[in-house]
Amino acid sequence: MTDTSTFRDPQSGGSLILAWQAKQKTILIVGGGAVAAGRVFSALEADAQVTVVAPALCPELQHRAAQNQITWHERKFQDHDLDSASMVLTAISDRDESRRIANLCRERKTPVNAADINDLCDFWFMSTHRDHSVQIAVSTNSKAPRLANRIRRVVAAALPRGTGLAVDKIGRLRQRIREIDPSPANGKRRMNWLTQLCDYWPIEQLARMDSDNIDDLLHAYAQQDDPKSVRIAECSAPASPTPGQKPETTRGSLVLVGAGVGDPELLTVRARRELRHADIVLADKLIPEQVLNLVKCEVYTARKFPGAASEAQDDLNRRGLEELSRGRRVVRLKQGDPFVYGRGAEEILFYRSHGYEAEIVPGLSSAINGPGLCGIPVTHRGVADQVLVVSGANRNGDLPTVPPFVETRTLVILMAVKRLSDIVGLLHAAEYPDTLPVAIVERAGCADQRTVRANLASIVDTVERVGHNAPGLIVVGHAVNVLSDASIQDRFLDLSTQGLHSAE
């Protein structure tokens, strides 16, 4: 007699979760607003033929109609619109018309979804995550849609890097295996071999497979070798070569790391780990020695090209490609945060054009954290409710465009202390008041950090008197003096600047 105790009892109240193949099927969407635009996008991603019926369209749907991504009937819904529809989605504010359309669909056995009217829906849209061929959907069965979004974000964040790419590449391998071994009788053999591969190799490593790796795996399948014996991509440790054999070359990897504001204690945990595991570190010239002391491998610093930053950048890019071609783990160490006036995106695009995708490790930006370390909050309730960051050394050495004066704004100007007199002239021309507090923040985060405070009228003379220690930045606005009242012991001021913190 069969033991039925092991059979699970069904839990009612759920939905039948399916991946519906909508390719080349016609999906009719009634409505032309933002909700309809979201439905259209989902249908297009499923390669459906999309027809929209609406008297007017929102800007997104106007764009899709102009690009011939959808067929648009510029009118209200008519019953014959259902004739060719495989699925119907209504996204209109007229609930009575939505109910009428839903009833027509049921008469025709056509599945229908009416936005925000659950009792009319044959199915619901779920909160989805898309990464190449991977689609993950979360449903709360219409009980807590907002919570479904949160759950989806948690699930997506837990996925290993490159999950979608790994799936696509396994799909390519699976197709090629079918081409060389198409017999239905060998289906179990194919499945078992691919199962071993998918269960054994880390997803991140499968994502890095290239065409040569796929060829190697295809050969291994043809020989029925254990997939665990095949070496994939660069994250496996290279095997020791036999005498007379050349070592196998691997593809290098690149990490773009922000060094923060100078103090090694303020590096992120990930940044410190990358510095420890690097084969070579390519560093900006201004990286503090305390940070470089954490590096155990070779450090290559940009050659000095006075007044020619592009040449120094080209030098680092050239060296980076050389090291990557040797299969090395390259850490590109940039001051502050790479994406805040650090040309980080330019480097990403450069290496991408050569077939390398960089991992990104952000760093503390001096634009916000530099003033903070020196006792200047860039925002303060009732004093400063906005922050604007500009560069004092734009492309071709141009001075910045100074924004109009706003009483409650903190203006942070990077890479401009050497041009302080010119900057002050621009501020005066823009009618910034002479009494406005100004600070020069120097070497923030380093043991010798210093702040020089004055006002717009006196800051140039003050800096000429006390000197300047690069690198530094300029902070303009009333937030400069929030924490520098004379009755408070100011541990952020160098002794040489005592008495200069007032805006008087």
Side-chain angles (χ1 to χ4, degrees):
M1 184 174 180
T2 302
D3 179 9
T4 61
S5 63
T6 60
F7 300 155
R8 293 184 300 164
D9 290 329
Q11 181 182 352
S12 63
S15 299
L16 181 62
I17 305 296
L18 303 169
W20 195 58
Q21 298 299 297
K23 188 173 183 179
Q24 300 305 313
K25 294 183 174 71
T26 298
I27 295 181
L28 173 67
I29 297 175
V30 182
V35 174
R39 302 290 196 252
V40 165
F41 183 81
S42 297
L44 291 175
E45 285 223 310
D47 298 322
Q49 301 286 343
V50 179
T51 298
V52 176
V53 176
L57 299 179
C58 66
E60 180 179 341
L61 291 181
Q62 291 176 18
H63 165 75
R64 301 203 185 282
Q67 297 296 314
N68 294 318
Q69 296 176 8
I70 62 176
T71 299
W72 175 35
H73 298 308
E74 190 177 356
R75 54 172 171 76
K76 291 186 176 181
F77 170 81
Q78 297 176 4
D79 293 3
H80 65 79
D81 291 326
L82 300 178
D83 291 347
S84 60
S86 299
M87 173 184 286
V88 177
L89 314 173
T90 70
I92 54 179
S93 57
D94 188 338
R95 296 174 71 90
D96 290 338
E97 179 66 356
S98 282
R99 188 171 297 276
R100 190 181 75 84
I101 295 171
N103 289 334
L104 288 173
C105 290
R106 290 205 168 85
E107 291 174 4
R108 296 169 176 248
K109 303 291 191 277
T110 303
V112 62
N113 172 278
D116 296 326
I117 312 178
N118 291 341
D119 63 304
L120 296 182
C121 296
D122 292 321
F123 57 91
W124 293 307
F125 279 85
M126 294 186 283
S127 180
T128 59
H129 168 75
R130 176 78 184 270
D131 180 8
H132 293 75
S133 295
V134 174
Q135 290 179 273
I136 296 174
V138 176
S139 173
T140 59
N141 288 296
S142 198
K143 288 183 170 54
R146 185 67 181 178
L147 190 56
N149 291 335
R150 182 176 174 185
I151 296 169
R152 181 256 304 164
R153 290 194 297 269
V154 172
V155 172
L159 294 175
R161 181 188 293 270
T163 295
L165 278 174
V167 169
D168 283 353
K169 290 178 179 180
I170 288 296
R172 283 163 48 193
L173 175 62
R174 183 183 181 194
Q175 180 180 358
R176 293 190 61 186
I177 287 176
R178 281 182 173 275
E179 291 171 356
I180 67 169
D181 186 13
S183 173
N186 293 334
K188 187 174 182 179
R189 181 173 73 176
R190 291 193 299 267
M191 183 177 66
N192 289 342
W193 194 88
L194 283 168
T195 297
Q196 291 184 65
L197 175 68
C198 293
D199 289 349
Y200 179 75
W201 290 105
I203 289 177
E204 298 91 340
Q205 195 163 346
L206 292 172
R208 286 192 285 263
M209 287 194 300
D210 57 22
S211 57
D212 290 338
N213 298 142
I214 291 176
D215 287 342
D216 291 342
L217 286 166
L218 193 65
H219 177 75
Y221 172 80
Q223 302 298 318
Q224 281 299 290
D225 292 337
D226 187 337
K228 299 177 184 178
S229 67
V230 182
R231 186 169 177 278
I232 304 177
E234 77 275 7
C235 64
S236 300
S240 300
T242 56
Q245 177 187 10
K246 292 184 178 181
E248 183 179 354
T249 60
T250 58
R251 184 175 175 79
S253 58
L254 174 69
V255 190
L256 186 64
V257 175
V261 291
D263 185 349
E265 293 297 317
L266 297 178
L267 285 171
T268 65
V269 173
R270 172 77 185 279
R272 294 176 75 96
R273 184 169 69 246
E274 293 296 346
L275 292 178
R276 288 197 306 269
H277 295 164
D279 293 319
I280 184 170
V281 172
L282 309 180
D284 285 349
K285 288 184 290 185
L286 293 178
I287 300 294
E289 184 178 355
Q290 308 96 292
V291 173
L292 294 179
N293 286 341
L294 299 174
V295 180
K296 303 303 180 184
C297 63
E298 177 187 358
V299 176
Y300 182 81
T301 304
R303 296 178 183 175
K304 294 185 178 181
F305 295 95
S310 293
E311 284 81 354
Q313 185 72 54
D314 292 343
D315 178 52
L316 285 170
N317 288 344
R318 175 195 56 78
R319 181 63 185 271
L321 286 180
E322 289 178 0
E323 299 298 335
L324 288 167
S325 68
R326 296 169 57 192
R328 307 188 81 188
R329 180 75 165 175
V330 177
V331 167
R332 176 66 178 95
L333 186 62
K334 300 184 72 67
Q335 184 71 341
D337 184 275
F339 288 166
V340 182
Y341 292 112
R343 301 184 67 175
E346 294 179 34
E347 296 195 30
I348 294 288
L349 293 172
F350 170 81
Y351 286 108
R352 183 177 291 170
S353 70
H354 289 81
Y356 296 95
E357 193 65 34
E359 299 175 51
I360 300 166
V361 182
L364 295 179
S365 171
S366 62
I368 304 298
N369 298 284
L373 285 166
C374 293
I376 299 175
V378 292
T379 64
H380 186 74
R381 188 167 58 175
V383 177
D385 57 16
Q386 55 185 277
V387 184
L388 181 62
V389 181
V390 300
S391 169
N394 292 327
R395 196 167 188 175
N396 301 320
D398 297 336
L399 287 167
T401 299
V402 172
F405 175 66
V406 176
E407 187 79 18
T408 58
R409 175 188 290 156
T410 301
L411 177 63
V412 179
I413 310 174
L414 305 178
M415 300 173 286
V417 179
K418 289 184 178 180
R419 314 174 80 177
L420 180 61
S421 180
D422 293 330
I423 296 295
V424 169
L426 292 174
L427 295 172
H428 276 138
E431 299 184 349
Y432 281 58
D434 280 345
T435 56
L436 191 64
V438 180
I440 308 299
V441 173
E442 301 175 349
R443 299 181 62 77
C446 297
D448 57 346
Q449 71 179 26
R450 186 178 75 162
T451 307
V452 178
R453 287 181 174 89
N455 60 29
L456 192 61
S458 62
I459 188 64
V460 173
D461 291 339
T462 300
V463 171
E464 287 181 356
R465 178 161 59 86
V466 303
H468 170 59
N469 300 316
L473 55 85
I474 304 169
V475 187
V476 181
H478 293 292
V480 164
N481 285 338
V482 164
L483 299 180
S484 65
D485 188 275
S487 64
I488 302 174
Q489 181 179 0
D490 191 349
R491 64 187 177 90
F492 302 102
L493 288 180
D494 182 89
L495 291 177
S496 66
T497 64
Q498 287 287 0
L500 299 175
H501 59 278
S502 173
E504 300 176 353

